[in-house]
Amino acid sequence: GKAILDICQSENPPDLILMEAILPDMDGFEVVEKLRGNSSSENIPVIFITSRFDDESRVKGLSLGALYFMEKPVNPDIVRGRVTNMMGYIDLNKRLQRSYDQMQEIARLRDEVDHITRHDLKSPLLEVLSISQDLLKKNNLSKSENSQVETIKKSINAALNMLTMSSEIFKIERGKFTLKPEKVNILKMINELLEEYKEIYKENNLSVQINQDENLKAEDFEINGDATMCYSAFHNLLKNAFEAAPQKTSIKVQFNKNESIEISIENTGAVPKKIRERFFEKFSTFGKENGNGIGTYSAKLLLEAQGATIEMLTSDEDNRTVITTKFPL
C-alpha cells in the first residue's frame, strides 16, 4: 500500500492502477481513500483484482471511486481487454484536456490582446477629442460645421466610454475590480435612455409605458453604484427590449421600492428556447443579424459588480419577456 502511494504521488504517476484489496501493510480501500485525498492521485482510476468479492466490499470500493472488481482467478485475456479499453478512455481524456488547455490559453491571449488594443486606442481618441473641443472653443465655425464637430465629439466620448466599460468588464472577469460607489439616480437615468430609444426606434411605432408608485419621488430611486456602469448595463437591456419587440407593441418599465429598488423591463415576444438557459452567457445570441451575445452578459456582470441581482422570465403563453434588476437599499 505504501509503495502504491509513493508511486502515485510522485512526479510521474501512473495512468491506471490494478491492485489487490487485501494488502500486507494496509487495507486496499484505505489506499484508495488516501489516493483520493491527494491532488496528484485523486483522479487515477483503480481496478481491484481480488478474492474479496462480497457485496459489502464491492459497494465500499465503488463508493470510493474504484471502476471494477475482477475476481480471482482472473482470465488474462479479460484483464488485457479491460485494461486496453480503459487506457483508450484515459488517452481520449488526456487529448480532450490538452485541447481544452489550448483553448483556454488562446482565450487568455485573445483577452490580453483586446486589453492592450483598448489601452492603445485611447490615446488617438483623446487626441481627436481634444482637437474637436479646441475647434468648438474658437467660435469661428458655421452652424453646420459646429453641429458636425459636436457629433464628432459625442461619438468620440461614446467610443471612450465603450473602451472604459470593456476595461472594467476585463477587471470584473478576473476578480480585480473594486467598486467606488457614488449616488446614482437610476430613475432619471433610465428615463433619459428611454427618450433616446423612442427616437431611435420611432419607425417601429412602439409605445413606452413607465409605471412607478405615485407616493415615491425621484430621489427615492437613488442607488449606491457606478453611473457609467449603470448606464452601460441599462443601455444594453433597453436596446435588447426595443430590438426584440415587434412593431406596434409596447415596452413597459416598472419602478418599485420595497426591500430593494426594483426595475422591471417588459417587452412583447418570448426569448427563443435555444438560448433561454444561456441568456446571460457570453456570446449567447439567436436570430440577430449583427448580434454578438455580449449585451446581456456585460449587463449582468456590470450590475452584479454593484451588488445588484438580475433575472429573466419569459413566457410562450403570454408571449412576453421581463428582465428584473434589484439593487440593495
Side-chain angles (χ1 to χ4, degrees), residues 271-298:
V271 173
K273 289 181 180 178
K274 284 188 176 181
I275 62 164
R276 285 180 190 177
E277 296 297 319
R278 301 180 292 108
F279 185 75
F280 289 111
E281 289 180 18
K282 203 171 190 177
F283 309 127
S284 178
T285 185
F286 181 82
K288 288 186 181 180
E289 192 176 333
N290 299 311
N292 55 24
I294 293 292
T296 51
Y297 168 77
S298 67

PDB file of all heavy atoms in Angstrom, residues 271-298:
ATOM      1  N   VAL A 271     -38.318  34.895 -25.378  1.00  0.00           N
ATOM      2  CA  VAL A 271     -36.929  34.572 -25.732  1.00  0.00           C
ATOM      3  C   VAL A 271     -36.908  33.198 -26.406  1.00  0.00           C
ATOM      4  O   VAL A 271     -37.558  32.260 -25.924  1.00  0.00           O
ATOM      5  CB  VAL A 271     -36.036  34.561 -24.464  1.00  0.00           C
ATOM      6  CG1 VAL A 271     -34.632  34.065 -24.783  1.00  0.00           C
ATOM      7  CG2 VAL A 271     -35.996  35.950 -23.847  1.00  0.00           C
ATOM      8  N   PRO A 272     -36.202  33.036 -27.532  1.00  0.00           N
ATOM      9  CA  PRO A 272     -36.134  31.721 -28.192  1.00  0.00           C
ATOM     10  C   PRO A 272     -35.665  30.629 -27.229  1.00  0.00           C
ATOM     11  O   PRO A 272     -34.759  30.863 -26.418  1.00  0.00           O
ATOM     12  CB  PRO A 272     -35.115  31.941 -29.317  1.00  0.00           C
ATOM     13  CG  PRO A 272     -35.145  33.406 -29.579  1.00  0.00           C
ATOM     14  CD  PRO A 272     -35.431  34.057 -28.262  1.00  0.00           C
ATOM     15  N   LYS A 273     -36.288  29.463 -27.323  1.00  0.00           N
ATOM     16  CA  LYS A 273     -35.974  28.364 -26.398  1.00  0.00           C
ATOM     17  C   LYS A 273     -34.497  27.974 -26.432  1.00  0.00           C
ATOM     18  O   LYS A 273     -33.935  27.557 -25.429  1.00  0.00           O
ATOM     19  CB  LYS A 273     -36.846  27.147 -26.732  1.00  0.00           C
ATOM     20  CG  LYS A 273     -38.299  27.345 -26.358  1.00  0.00           C
ATOM     21  CD  LYS A 273     -39.135  26.120 -26.672  1.00  0.00           C
ATOM     22  CE  LYS A 273     -40.603  26.357 -26.283  1.00  0.00           C
ATOM     23  NZ  LYS A 273     -41.449  25.195 -26.621  1.00  0.00           N
ATOM     24  N   LYS A 274     -33.880  28.112 -27.608  1.00  0.00           N
ATOM     25  CA  LYS A 274     -32.482  27.688 -27.759  1.00  0.00           C
ATOM     26  C   LYS A 274     -31.530  28.441 -26.852  1.00  0.00           C
ATOM     27  O   LYS A 274     -30.459  27.931 -26.513  1.00  0.00           O
ATOM     28  CB  LYS A 274     -32.028  27.854 -29.214  1.00  0.00           C
ATOM     29  CG  LYS A 274     -32.567  26.778 -30.141  1.00  0.00           C
ATOM     30  CD  LYS A 274     -31.930  26.886 -31.506  1.00  0.00           C
ATOM     31  CE  LYS A 274     -32.411  25.743 -32.412  1.00  0.00           C
ATOM     32  NZ  LYS A 274     -31.771  25.811 -33.746  1.00  0.00           N
ATOM     33  N   ILE A 275     -31.870  29.675 -26.475  1.00  0.00           N
ATOM     34  CA  ILE A 275     -30.927  30.457 -25.670  1.00  0.00           C
ATOM     35  C   ILE A 275     -31.446  30.819 -24.282  1.00  0.00           C
ATOM     36  O   ILE A 275     -30.793  31.575 -23.562  1.00  0.00           O
ATOM     37  CB  ILE A 275     -30.474  31.745 -26.413  1.00  0.00           C
ATOM     38  CG1 ILE A 275     -31.674  32.677 -26.678  1.00  0.00           C
ATOM     39  CG2 ILE A 275     -29.718  31.433 -27.671  1.00  0.00           C
ATOM     40  CD1 ILE A 275     -31.245  34.081 -27.036  1.00  0.00           C
ATOM     41  N   ARG A 276     -32.588  30.288 -23.897  1.00  0.00           N
ATOM     42  CA  ARG A 276     -33.149  30.658 -22.591  1.00  0.00           C
ATOM     43  C   ARG A 276     -32.211  30.315 -21.432  1.00  0.00           C
ATOM     44  O   ARG A 276     -32.010  31.106 -20.524  1.00  0.00           O
ATOM     45  CB  ARG A 276     -34.512  29.988 -22.388  1.00  0.00           C
ATOM     46  CG  ARG A 276     -35.590  30.636 -23.202  1.00  0.00           C
ATOM     47  CD  ARG A 276     -36.940  29.982 -23.022  1.00  0.00           C
ATOM     48  NE  ARG A 276     -37.874  30.501 -24.007  1.00  0.00           N
ATOM     49  CZ  ARG A 276     -39.125  30.091 -24.150  1.00  0.00           C
ATOM     50  NH1 ARG A 276     -39.602  29.143 -23.332  1.00  0.00           N
ATOM     51  NH2 ARG A 276     -39.910  30.604 -25.082  1.00  0.00           N
ATOM     52  N   GLU A 277     -31.661  29.105 -21.468  1.00  0.00           N
ATOM     53  CA  GLU A 277     -30.774  28.683 -20.392  1.00  0.00           C
ATOM     54  C   GLU A 277     -29.452  29.433 -20.422  1.00  0.00           C
ATOM     55  O   GLU A 277     -28.747  29.516 -19.429  1.00  0.00           O
ATOM     56  CB  GLU A 277     -30.510  27.161 -20.485  1.00  0.00           C
ATOM     57  CG  GLU A 277     -31.743  26.293 -20.275  1.00  0.00           C
ATOM     58  CD  GLU A 277     -32.339  26.449 -18.884  1.00  0.00           C
ATOM     59  OE1 GLU A 277     -31.554  26.516 -17.914  1.00  0.00           O
ATOM     60  OE2 GLU A 277     -33.575  26.551 -18.772  1.00  0.00           O
ATOM     61  N   ARG A 278     -29.097  29.988 -21.587  1.00  0.00           N
ATOM     62  CA  ARG A 278     -27.800  30.663 -21.746  1.00  0.00           C
ATOM     63  C   ARG A 278     -27.973  32.175 -21.948  1.00  0.00           C
ATOM     64  O   ARG A 278     -27.073  32.830 -22.444  1.00  0.00           O
ATOM     65  CB  ARG A 278     -27.063  30.074 -22.963  1.00  0.00           C
ATOM     66  CG  ARG A 278     -26.796  28.587 -22.866  1.00  0.00           C
ATOM     67  CD  ARG A 278     -26.071  28.057 -24.094  1.00  0.00           C
ATOM     68  NE  ARG A 278     -26.896  28.096 -25.300  1.00  0.00           N
ATOM     69  CZ  ARG A 278     -26.721  28.947 -26.300  1.00  0.00           C
ATOM     70  NH1 ARG A 278     -25.751  29.833 -26.263  1.00  0.00           N
ATOM     71  NH2 ARG A 278     -27.509  28.917 -27.359  1.00  0.00           N
ATOM     72  N   PHE A 279     -29.127  32.703 -21.567  1.00  0.00           N
ATOM     73  CA  PHE A 279     -29.476  34.082 -21.900  1.00  0.00           C
ATOM     74  C   PHE A 279     -28.412  35.090 -21.458  1.00  0.00           C
ATOM     75  O   PHE A 279     -28.104  36.031 -22.174  1.00  0.00           O
ATOM     76  CB  PHE A 279     -30.825  34.439 -21.250  1.00  0.00           C
ATOM     77  CG  PHE A 279     -31.346  35.794 -21.632  1.00  0.00           C
ATOM     78  CD1 PHE A 279     -31.899  36.019 -22.888  1.00  0.00           C
ATOM     79  CD2 PHE A 279     -31.288  36.857 -20.738  1.00  0.00           C
ATOM     80  CE1 PHE A 279     -32.387  37.275 -23.254  1.00  0.00           C
ATOM     81  CE2 PHE A 279     -31.770  38.118 -21.081  1.00  0.00           C
ATOM     82  CZ  PHE A 279     -32.314  38.318 -22.342  1.00  0.00           C
ATOM     83  N   PHE A 280     -27.851  34.890 -20.269  1.00  0.00           N
ATOM     84  CA  PHE A 280     -26.857  35.840 -19.747  1.00  0.00           C
ATOM     85  C   PHE A 280     -25.415  35.370 -19.979  1.00  0.00           C
ATOM     86  O   PHE A 280     -24.488  35.979 -19.461  1.00  0.00           O
ATOM     87  CB  PHE A 280     -27.082  36.069 -18.243  1.00  0.00           C
ATOM     88  CG  PHE A 280     -28.325  36.866 -17.928  1.00  0.00           C
ATOM     89  CD1 PHE A 280     -29.408  36.270 -17.307  1.00  0.00           C
ATOM     90  CD2 PHE A 280     -28.412  38.219 -18.263  1.00  0.00           C
ATOM     91  CE1 PHE A 280     -30.552  37.002 -17.002  1.00  0.00           C
ATOM     92  CE2 PHE A 280     -29.563  38.948 -17.972  1.00  0.00           C
ATOM     93  CZ  PHE A 280     -30.632  38.346 -17.342  1.00  0.00           C
ATOM     94  N   GLU A 281     -25.250  34.304 -20.750  1.00  0.00           N
ATOM     95  CA  GLU A 281     -23.894  33.809 -21.002  1.00  0.00           C
ATOM     96  C   GLU A 281     -23.223  34.585 -22.130  1.00  0.00           C
ATOM     97  O   GLU A 281     -23.889  35.134 -23.007  1.00  0.00           O
ATOM     98  CB  GLU A 281     -23.916  32.313 -21.339  1.00  0.00           C
ATOM     99  CG  GLU A 281     -24.245  31.436 -20.146  1.00  0.00           C
ATOM    100  CD  GLU A 281     -24.253  29.958 -20.504  1.00  0.00           C
ATOM    101  OE1 GLU A 281     -23.680  29.589 -21.561  1.00  0.00           O
ATOM    102  OE2 GLU A 281     -24.825  29.170 -19.735  1.00  0.00           O
ATOM    103  N   LYS A 282     -21.908  34.573 -22.117  1.00  0.00           N
ATOM    104  CA  LYS A 282     -21.117  35.277 -23.127  1.00  0.00           C
ATOM    105  C   LYS A 282     -21.334  34.648 -24.501  1.00  0.00           C
ATOM    106  O   LYS A 282     -21.359  33.423 -24.631  1.00  0.00           O
ATOM    107  CB  LYS A 282     -19.632  35.203 -22.747  1.00  0.00           C
ATOM    108  CG  LYS A 282     -18.775  36.303 -23.352  1.00  0.00           C
ATOM    109  CD  LYS A 282     -17.380  36.256 -22.737  1.00  0.00           C
ATOM    110  CE  LYS A 282     -16.564  37.466 -23.121  1.00  0.00           C
ATOM    111  NZ  LYS A 282     -15.230  37.457 -22.473  1.00  0.00           N
ATOM    112  N   PHE A 283     -21.498  35.488 -25.511  1.00  0.00           N
ATOM    113  CA  PHE A 283     -21.665  35.091 -26.914  1.00  0.00           C
ATOM    114  C   PHE A 283     -22.958  34.320 -27.172  1.00  0.00           C
ATOM    115  O   PHE A 283     -23.080  33.591 -28.154  1.00  0.00           O
ATOM    116  CB  PHE A 283     -20.468  34.256 -27.419  1.00  0.00           C
ATOM    117  CG  PHE A 283     -19.131  34.881 -27.159  1.00  0.00           C
ATOM    118  CD1 PHE A 283     -18.134  34.186 -26.505  1.00  0.00           C
ATOM    119  CD2 PHE A 283     -18.874  36.184 -27.561  1.00  0.00           C
ATOM    120  CE1 PHE A 283     -16.899  34.767 -26.242  1.00  0.00           C
ATOM    121  CE2 PHE A 283     -17.642  36.780 -27.313  1.00  0.00           C
ATOM    122  CZ  PHE A 283     -16.655  36.067 -26.649  1.00  0.00           C
ATOM    123  N   SER A 284     -23.942  34.455 -26.281  1.00  0.00           N
ATOM    124  CA  SER A 284     -25.226  33.781 -26.475  1.00  0.00           C
ATOM    125  C   SER A 284     -26.163  34.695 -27.267  1.00  0.00           C
ATOM    126  O   SER A 284     -26.603  35.723 -26.765  1.00  0.00           O
ATOM    127  CB  SER A 284     -25.846  33.436 -25.119  1.00  0.00           C
ATOM    128  OG  SER A 284     -27.101  32.832 -25.294  1.00  0.00           O
ATOM    129  N   THR A 285     -26.444  34.314 -28.512  1.00  0.00           N
ATOM    130  CA  THR A 285     -27.328  35.122 -29.357  1.00  0.00           C
ATOM    131  C   THR A 285     -28.076  34.206 -30.314  1.00  0.00           C
ATOM    132  O   THR A 285     -27.639  33.087 -30.592  1.00  0.00           O
ATOM    133  CB  THR A 285     -26.520  36.194 -30.141  1.00  0.00           C
ATOM    134  OG1 THR A 285     -27.435  37.028 -30.864  1.00  0.00           O
ATOM    135  CG2 THR A 285     -25.537  35.558 -31.097  1.00  0.00           C
ATOM    136  N   PHE A 286     -29.206  34.689 -30.810  1.00  0.00           N
ATOM    137  CA  PHE A 286     -30.001  33.875 -31.731  1.00  0.00           C
ATOM    138  C   PHE A 286     -30.868  34.787 -32.587  1.00  0.00           C
ATOM    139  O   PHE A 286     -31.615  35.617 -32.074  1.00  0.00           O
ATOM    140  CB  PHE A 286     -30.889  32.894 -30.953  1.00  0.00           C
ATOM    141  CG  PHE A 286     -31.717  31.996 -31.827  1.00  0.00           C
ATOM    142  CD1 PHE A 286     -31.180  30.854 -32.393  1.00  0.00           C
ATOM    143  CD2 PHE A 286     -33.047  32.313 -32.105  1.00  0.00           C
ATOM    144  CE1 PHE A 286     -31.943  30.035 -33.200  1.00  0.00           C
ATOM    145  CE2 PHE A 286     -33.820  31.505 -32.908  1.00  0.00           C
ATOM    146  CZ  PHE A 286     -33.264  30.356 -33.469  1.00  0.00           C
ATOM    147  N   GLY A 287     -30.758  34.663 -33.903  1.00  0.00           N
ATOM    148  CA  GLY A 287     -31.652  35.358 -34.825  1.00  0.00           C
ATOM    149  C   GLY A 287     -31.336  36.809 -35.085  1.00  0.00           C
ATOM    150  O   GLY A 287     -32.021  37.456 -35.872  1.00  0.00           O
ATOM    151  N   LYS A 288     -30.299  37.369 -34.440  1.00  0.00           N
ATOM    152  CA  LYS A 288     -29.927  38.767 -34.684  1.00  0.00           C
ATOM    153  C   LYS A 288     -28.804  38.806 -35.708  1.00  0.00           C
ATOM    154  O   LYS A 288     -27.757  38.187 -35.507  1.00  0.00           O
ATOM    155  CB  LYS A 288     -29.463  39.444 -33.398  1.00  0.00           C
ATOM    156  CG  LYS A 288     -30.590  39.733 -32.422  1.00  0.00           C
ATOM    157  CD  LYS A 288     -30.047  40.549 -31.251  1.00  0.00           C
ATOM    158  CE  LYS A 288     -31.136  40.831 -30.232  1.00  0.00           C
ATOM    159  NZ  LYS A 288     -30.614  41.622 -29.107  1.00  0.00           N
ATOM    160  N   GLU A 289     -29.021  39.563 -36.763  1.00  0.00           N
ATOM    161  CA  GLU A 289     -28.049  39.607 -37.853  1.00  0.00           C
ATOM    162  C   GLU A 289     -26.674  40.075 -37.377  1.00  0.00           C
ATOM    163  O   GLU A 289     -25.655  39.501 -37.738  1.00  0.00           O
ATOM    164  CB  GLU A 289     -28.553  40.553 -38.961  1.00  0.00           C
ATOM    165  CG  GLU A 289     -27.744  40.438 -40.241  1.00  0.00           C
ATOM    166  CD  GLU A 289     -28.319  41.297 -41.353  1.00  0.00           C
ATOM    167  OE1 GLU A 289     -29.539  41.555 -41.346  1.00  0.00           O
ATOM    168  OE2 GLU A 289     -27.532  41.703 -42.223  1.00  0.00           O
ATOM    169  N   ASN A 290     -26.641  41.109 -36.554  1.00  0.00           N
ATOM    170  CA  ASN A 290     -25.367  41.642 -36.064  1.00  0.00           C
ATOM    171  C   ASN A 290     -25.170  41.398 -34.571  1.00  0.00           C
ATOM    172  O   ASN A 290     -24.335  42.040 -33.941  1.00  0.00           O
ATOM    173  CB  ASN A 290     -25.278  43.155 -36.357  1.00  0.00           C
ATOM    174  CG  ASN A 290     -25.334  43.450 -37.845  1.00  0.00           C
ATOM    175  OD1 ASN A 290     -24.619  42.831 -38.626  1.00  0.00           O
ATOM    176  ND2 ASN A 290     -26.194  44.372 -38.240  1.00  0.00           N
ATOM    177  N   GLY A 291     -25.924  40.463 -34.017  1.00  0.00           N
ATOM    178  CA  GLY A 291     -25.805  40.188 -32.577  1.00  0.00           C
ATOM    179  C   GLY A 291     -24.510  39.472 -32.250  1.00  0.00           C
ATOM    180  O   GLY A 291     -24.082  38.582 -32.977  1.00  0.00           O
ATOM    181  N   ASN A 292     -23.884  39.885 -31.132  1.00  0.00           N
ATOM    182  CA  ASN A 292     -22.648  39.220 -30.729  1.00  0.00           C
ATOM    183  C   ASN A 292     -22.771  38.528 -29.371  1.00  0.00           C
ATOM    184  O   ASN A 292     -21.820  37.896 -28.901  1.00  0.00           O
ATOM    185  CB  ASN A 292     -21.482  40.215 -30.688  1.00  0.00           C
ATOM    186  CG  ASN A 292     -21.772  41.424 -29.807  1.00  0.00           C
ATOM    187  OD1 ASN A 292     -22.599  41.361 -28.906  1.00  0.00           O
ATOM    188  ND2 ASN A 292     -21.085  42.512 -30.065  1.00  0.00           N
ATOM    189  N   GLY A 293     -23.942  38.634 -28.732  1.00  0.00           N
ATOM    190  CA  GLY A 293     -24.146  37.929 -27.466  1.00  0.00           C
ATOM    191  C   GLY A 293     -23.378  38.513 -26.297  1.00  0.00           C
ATOM    192  O   GLY A 293     -23.135  37.826 -25.303  1.00  0.00           O
ATOM    193  N   ILE A 294     -23.001  39.791 -26.389  1.00  0.00           N
ATOM    194  CA  ILE A 294     -22.232  40.424 -25.319  1.00  0.00           C
ATOM    195  C   ILE A 294     -23.117  41.313 -24.440  1.00  0.00           C
ATOM    196  O   ILE A 294     -22.850  41.508 -23.263  1.00  0.00           O
ATOM    197  CB  ILE A 294     -21.075  41.274 -25.917  1.00  0.00           C
ATOM    198  CG1 ILE A 294     -20.047  40.363 -26.576  1.00  0.00           C
ATOM    199  CG2 ILE A 294     -20.405  42.131 -24.853  1.00  0.00           C
ATOM    200  CD1 ILE A 294     -19.276  39.488 -25.613  1.00  0.00           C
ATOM    201  N   GLY A 295     -24.216  41.850 -25.008  1.00  0.00           N
ATOM    202  CA  GLY A 295     -25.048  42.837 -24.318  1.00  0.00           C
ATOM    203  C   GLY A 295     -25.574  42.380 -22.971  1.00  0.00           C
ATOM    204  O   GLY A 295     -25.326  43.023 -21.943  1.00  0.00           O
ATOM    205  N   THR A 296     -26.318  41.268 -22.946  1.00  0.00           N
ATOM    206  CA  THR A 296     -26.909  40.808 -21.688  1.00  0.00           C
ATOM    207  C   THR A 296     -25.829  40.273 -20.745  1.00  0.00           C
ATOM    208  O   THR A 296     -25.945  40.401 -19.525  1.00  0.00           O
ATOM    209  CB  THR A 296     -27.971  39.720 -21.941  1.00  0.00           C
ATOM    210  OG1 THR A 296     -27.419  38.698 -22.783  1.00  0.00           O
ATOM    211  CG2 THR A 296     -29.202  40.311 -22.609  1.00  0.00           C
ATOM    212  N   TYR A 297     -24.791  39.669 -21.314  1.00  0.00           N
ATOM    213  CA  TYR A 297     -23.671  39.165 -20.496  1.00  0.00           C
ATOM    214  C   TYR A 297     -23.010  40.314 -19.743  1.00  0.00           C
ATOM    215  O   TYR A 297     -22.812  40.247 -18.531  1.00  0.00           O
ATOM    216  CB  TYR A 297     -22.649  38.458 -21.390  1.00  0.00           C
ATOM    217  CG  TYR A 297     -21.331  38.167 -20.708  1.00  0.00           C
ATOM    218  CD1 TYR A 297     -21.207  37.111 -19.810  1.00  0.00           C
ATOM    219  CD2 TYR A 297     -20.203  38.953 -20.964  1.00  0.00           C
ATOM    220  CE1 TYR A 297     -20.003  36.857 -19.170  1.00  0.00           C
ATOM    221  CE2 TYR A 297     -18.998  38.696 -20.337  1.00  0.00           C
ATOM    222  CZ  TYR A 297     -18.896  37.644 -19.447  1.00  0.00           C
ATOM    223  OH  TYR A 297     -17.698  37.392 -18.823  1.00  0.00           O
ATOM    224  N   SER A 298     -22.668  41.392 -20.473  1.00  0.00           N
ATOM    225  CA  SER A 298     -21.987  42.530 -19.833  1.00  0.00           C
ATOM    226  C   SER A 298     -22.921  43.232 -18.855  1.00  0.00           C
ATOM    227  O   SER A 298     -22.492  43.678 -17.785  1.00  0.00           O
ATOM    228  CB  SER A 298     -21.459  43.509 -20.881  1.00  0.00           C
ATOM    229  OG  SER A 298     -22.502  44.155 -21.567  1.00  0.00           O
TER     230      SER A 298
END
